[in-house]
Amino acid sequence: MRRPTLEEVATAAGVSKMTASRALRGARDVSKDNILKVREAAERIGYVGNQLALSLSAQHTNLIGVVVPTMSNVVFPEVLSGISAVLEGTGMQAVFGLSEYDATKEREIIRNMLSWRPAAMIVTGLDQPDDTTRLLRQAGVPIVQVMDLDGEPVDFSVGLSHTAAGEEMAGALIASGRQRFGYVGSGLGRDLRAAKRKAGFEAGLARTGLRFLAEETAPELSSLGLGKRLTQALLEREPEIDCLYYSNDDMAAGGAFACMELGIAVPSRILIAGFNGLDIAQALPFSIATSYSPRRQMGETAARLALQAMTDDRKTLERVVAFTPRISLAGE
Amino acid sequence: MRRPTLEEVATAAGVSKMTASRALRGARDVSKDNILKVREAAERIGYVGNQLALSLSAQHTNLIGVVVPTMSNVVFPEVLSGISAVLEGTGMQAVFGLSEYDATKEREIIRNMLSWRPAAMIVTGLDQPDDTTRLLRQAGVPIVQVMDLDGEPVDFSVGLSHTAAGEEMAGALIASGRQRFGYVGSGLGRDLRAAKRKAGFEAGLARTGLRFLAEETAPELSSLGLGKRLTQALLEREPEIDCLYYSNDDMAAGGAFACMELGIAVPSRILIAGFNGLDIAQALPFSIATSYSPRRQMGETAARLALQAMTDDRKTLERVVAFTPRISLAGE
DNA sequence: TCCGGTATCGATACCGGTATCGGTAACGTA
DNA sequence: TACGTTACCGATACCGGTATCGATACCGGA
């Protein structure tokens, strides 16, 4: 049971394939009579056009390839959401792929996507290995690298500097009087942006001669549960801490829960600082510090940039779109 | 600057297109010498195969279309994650689409995807309008409907009964001694599964002659912040409530935060019940009730089923894969 | 020397659309 | 009547791969 082809629609309508094609596309040079006949025939036999043939013939697709590392951190679904919203109604279609923070897997996904001849690609981060970068460069379509700024983009980058974000958070926390810092992290080594924030934070501490008095990290990806466990472990080892920096808000919220269970006042006794500005950081009944990252907006901007680069002259577009995360210490 | 074609690789290697094709695919009937020459040429000029031509020729693709309503509820990213994991290494590629809980948008996405001739489709829920169902049925490929069971699947359904889940939660809460119930919901009218849970819960209450004493709902999608606001509003109107049922765990956790701020003991004074069994329901420093839904597992099962139905005889496969959510009142 | 088998290669057709271009019919006008 | 214009239609080529099948070269054995 094969799907009906345009040829079959044409036969059913008693016209040629070419006339049927024109009729369905609303092209000119078709009589009203035939338009009706073809539409009716197509409807009747349930014809659905074949993008494979169309795209092969037209030498381009309406596909935009999007690669993100994971879905288990809400920021990426939000980026996808922003991309999807901008593409809505443009006739473009996003194709998603998950790299699981694995460079090899990422390259295979990108190669796979490129074999579909997408009109543009949006990938996460700037830290791809050289062979992946070459692949992207040779694709001959606009490449937008999203989420990060610390590095050199293939074509365009849309994001924020995680190094700077970490450093500024450190500065703000020191300015607020904190002195004994600890770090709780997850998935370092894989999550390069979290690692950049940590490095930036440490640089910020170093400016006033400070450093982390304790660290607790795990290779797993971030989660509330992990943040809670690692925080408990860290506070047991080093109870004198007065400020904890986390790899992100999920971990930080978990840490906040740990403090609640231990009866530790937040933020008076221990200040908890994360990254992202998730919903949870605001809804919590007490304040935790965070940097608001405009995830959805970055997705939207990346998609818009990709669309522009497809049509406009690429040279006239800004190569780098920088966002600055707003730091909040007070939970608002 | 067009991408190089197989023809160009062949010319560069000094062989015919056909030999080049065979060499790159590792097919037989090519000399070792030519294999090397073609591989080298392809590598040198950065050849990437063209899936459009391949799939058009082969009359099938390696695409699996996946449609979910939103990314702003973590359960869907998790389903996607499960699908993606199962497809990993099978050569199949997932293509995602977001319907935003809009039936018209959903139909357009499905039509769009079908025009790419996917090898299977995975869509959310069983409540598509008739024209969408017809579209799916006529596609001639395996259709897996995921997340829900209350309805008749086109081919296969993988999920749980939300009606039953609501009803059972009501029973469990009544059995635990609660009597004055309230409901806090979001996105009803759009989120049909949340509506089913509510209806089931009400049926469960009705069995012992009970009903919701107060409801607070909003058309927006669920979020922690919304759950918090609606809970505050509801408790102001109806402070005598001793149990609140929520459309899901996001909302419930928001409600829990609202109670904390109001100094209301949870669960002793008010029991809070959600749905999904999210991470947050466990990490919270006090217990909230929830039904654990195996989101990732449903995604995995749906993907596996799609793969099987593509190869095996469809008739031998179970049409319905049912999961039963485990209810937890105690936060574990 | 001749023959069958094996290894290797390439010409051709085809997948299902659309661009292109030439053809036909109808009509108005000189 | 002859001709140009307009409206409409369809045959053909092409996009970039692979399946198929026939061709060629080489080898060993009779």
Side-chain angles (χ1 to χ4, degrees):
Chain A
M1 165 178 159
R2 235 181 57 278
R3 300 237 50 174
T5 70
L6 185 61
E7 182 79 60
E8 282 153 34
V9 173
T11 306
V15 298
S16 76
K17 201 172 125 181
M18 205 53 235
T19 299
S21 168
R22 283 195 266 254
L24 291 179
R25 280 179 296 144
R28 18 184 299 274
D29 286 357
V30 197
S31 66
K32 296 199 197 324
D33 189 39
N34 275 342
I35 290 180
L36 257 40
K37 278 198 289 193
V38 171
R39 291 243 176 94
E40 187 275 330
E43 181 66 27
R44 183 157 45 80
I45 63 185
Y47 174 72
V48 174
N50 187 333
Q51 278 285 350
L52 296 168
L54 196 157
S55 296
L56 176 62
S57 171
Q59 294 279 66
H60 62 257
T61 64
N62 62 349
L63 266 22
I64 294 190
V66 182
V67 186
V68 295
T70 181
M71 290 285 192
S72 54
N73 184 336
V74 286
V75 308
F76 297 107
E78 287 182 41
V79 171
L80 262 31
S81 205
I83 292 173
S84 186
V86 168
L87 261 33
E88 167 80 27
T90 64
M92 289 290 146
Q93 164 88 33
V95 181
F96 300 131
L98 258 42
S99 73
E100 307 286 352
Y101 288 109
D102 178 330
T104 309
K105 211 176 278 192
E106 182 181 42
R107 199 198 47 206
E108 281 321 296
I109 291 173
I110 288 175
R111 175 175 270 282
N112 226 303
M113 284 186 173
L114 288 179
S115 74
W116 285 100
R117 300 293 186 263
M121 290 282 298
I122 300 175
V123 301
T124 307
L126 293 162
D127 302 295
Q128 287 79 18
D130 285 346
D131 54 351
T132 304
T133 307
R134 183 149 19 99
L135 214 50
L136 290 170
R137 203 185 309 280
Q138 289 183 345
V141 296
I143 309 293
V144 182
Q145 285 163 290
V146 77
M147 305 302 279
D148 200 356
L149 284 187
D150 303 319
E152 189 62 27
V154 173
D155 289 332
F156 305 101
S157 68
V158 173
L160 52 89
S161 165
H162 291 263
T163 308
E167 188 159 357
E168 279 162 26
M169 178 58 93
L173 293 173
I174 292 168
S176 82
R178 303 289 158 163
Q179 295 186 321
R180 295 183 304 280
F181 291 89
Y183 179 79
V184 176
S186 56
L188 274 354
R190 287 193 285 170
D191 185 347
L192 266 23
R193 285 169 293 284
K196 286 176 180 176
R197 291 193 294 274
K198 180 179 186 232
F201 197 97
E202 285 174 321
L205 290 182
R207 287 197 183 184
T208 47
L210 294 172
R211 57 181 187 79
F212 284 128
L213 300 183
E215 293 185 18
E216 201 72 41
T217 61
E220 314 146 50
L221 292 183
S222 67
S223 70
L224 285 165
L226 181 62
K228 190 172 176 180
R229 282 199 304 281
L230 294 185
T231 301
Q232 284 161 343
L234 185 142
L235 290 180
E236 197 161 323
R237 275 202 299 128
E238 200 77 42
E240 296 303 306
I241 293 294
D242 69 3
C243 184
L244 283 171
Y245 189 49
Y246 289 80
S247 47
N248 63 34
D249 276 358
D250 280 317
M251 298 291 287
F257 294 151
C259 289
M260 286 177 67
E261 283 191 11
L262 294 169
I264 296 173
V266 176
S268 53
R269 169 70 187 80
I270 292 187
L271 196 157
I272 285 187
F275 178 83
N276 269 333
L278 297 192
D279 206 10
I280 194 171
Q282 293 174 70
L284 243 27
F286 47 80
S287 312
I288 70 175
T290 190
S291 312
Y292 287 86
S293 70
R295 289 91 55 188
R296 191 183 166 89
Q297 209 182 330
M298 286 193 279
E300 290 169 352
T301 306
R304 250 191 303 271
L305 195 52
L307 290 174
Q308 286 173 9
M310 287 165 43
T311 53
D312 304 6
D313 179 22
R314 264 195 244 184
K315 302 293 170 227
T316 68
L317 267 27
E318 277 301 328
R319 278 174 60 80
V320 177
V321 180
F323 288 93
T324 311
R326 181 172 61 82
I327 286 182
S328 149
L329 299 187
E332 179 45 52
Chain B
M1 163 175 161
R2 233 181 58 278
R3 300 238 49 175
T5 71
L6 185 62
E7 182 79 61
E8 281 151 33
V9 174
T11 307
V15 298
S16 77
K17 200 171 125 181
M18 204 53 235
T19 299
S21 168
R22 282 195 267 254
L24 290 179
R25 280 178 298 144
R28 16 182 301 270
D29 285 1
V30 197
S31 66
K32 295 198 196 326
D33 189 39
N34 275 340
I35 290 179
L36 257 40
K37 278 198 288 193
V38 171
R39 291 245 176 91
E40 187 276 330
E43 180 66 27
R44 183 158 44 81
I45 65 185
Y47 174 73
V48 174
N50 187 333
Q51 279 285 350
L52 296 168
L54 196 156
S55 296
L56 177 62
S57 172
Q59 294 278 66
H60 63 257
T61 63
N62 62 349
L63 265 23
I64 293 190
V66 182
V67 186
V68 294
T70 181
M71 291 285 192
S72 54
N73 184 336
V74 285
V75 307
F76 297 107
E78 286 184 40
V79 171
L80 262 31
S81 206
I83 292 173
S84 186
V86 168
L87 261 32
E88 168 78 27
T90 65
M92 289 290 145
Q93 164 87 32
V95 181
F96 301 131
L98 259 42
S99 73
E100 308 284 353
Y101 287 110
D102 178 330
T104 309
K105 212 177 278 192
E106 183 182 39
R107 199 197 48 206
E108 280 322 295
I109 291 172
I110 288 175
R111 173 175 270 283
N112 227 304
M113 284 186 172
L114 288 180
S115 74
W116 285 100
R117 301 292 187 263
M121 290 283 297
I122 300 176
V123 301
T124 306
L126 293 162
D127 303 295
Q128 287 78 18
D130 284 346
D131 54 349
T132 304
T133 308
R134 183 150 18 99
L135 215 49
L136 290 171
R137 203 185 309 280
Q138 289 183 345
V141 296
I143 309 293
V144 182
Q145 286 164 290
V146 78
M147 306 301 279
D148 200 357
L149 284 188
D150 303 320
E152 189 61 26
V154 173
D155 289 331
F156 305 101
S157 67
V158 173
L160 52 89
S161 166
H162 291 263
T163 309
E167 189 160 357
E168 279 163 27
M169 179 58 92
L173 294 173
I174 292 168
S176 82
R178 303 289 159 163
Q179 296 187 320
R180 295 183 303 283
F181 292 88
Y183 179 78
V184 176
S186 56
L188 275 353
R190 286 193 285 171
D191 185 347
L192 268 23
R193 285 169 293 285
K196 286 176 179 176
R197 291 194 293 275
K198 181 181 185 229
F201 197 97
E202 285 174 321
L205 291 182
R207 285 197 183 184
T208 46
L210 294 172
R211 58 182 185 77
F212 284 128
L213 301 182
E215 292 184 19
E216 200 73 42
T217 62
E220 313 147 50
L221 292 183
S222 66
S223 69
L224 285 166
L226 181 62
K228 189 173 177 181
R229 282 199 303 281
L230 294 184
T231 301
Q232 284 162 343
L234 186 142
L235 290 180
E236 195 160 323
R237 276 202 299 128
E238 200 78 40
E240 296 305 306
I241 293 295
D242 69 2
C243 185
L244 283 171
Y245 190 49
Y246 289 79
S247 47
N248 63 34
D249 276 358
D250 280 317
M251 297 291 288
F257 294 151
C259 289
M260 287 176 67
E261 283 191 10
L262 294 169
I264 296 173
V266 177
S268 52
R269 169 69 188 80
I270 292 187
L271 196 157
I272 285 186
F275 178 83
N276 269 333
L278 297 192
D279 206 11
I280 194 172
Q282 292 174 70
L284 243 27
F286 47 80
S287 312
I288 70 176
T290 191
S291 312
Y292 287 85
S293 70
R295 288 91 56 187
R296 190 184 167 89
Q297 209 182 331
M298 287 192 279
E300 290 169 352
T301 306
R304 250 190 303 269
L305 195 52
L307 290 174
Q308 286 173 9
M310 286 165 44
T311 53
D312 303 7
D313 180 23
R314 263 194 245 185
K315 301 295 169 228
T316 68
L317 266 27
E318 278 301 329
R319 277 173 61 79
V320 176
V321 180
F323 288 93
T324 311
R326 181 172 61 80
I327 286 182
S328 149
L329 299 187
E332 181 43 51

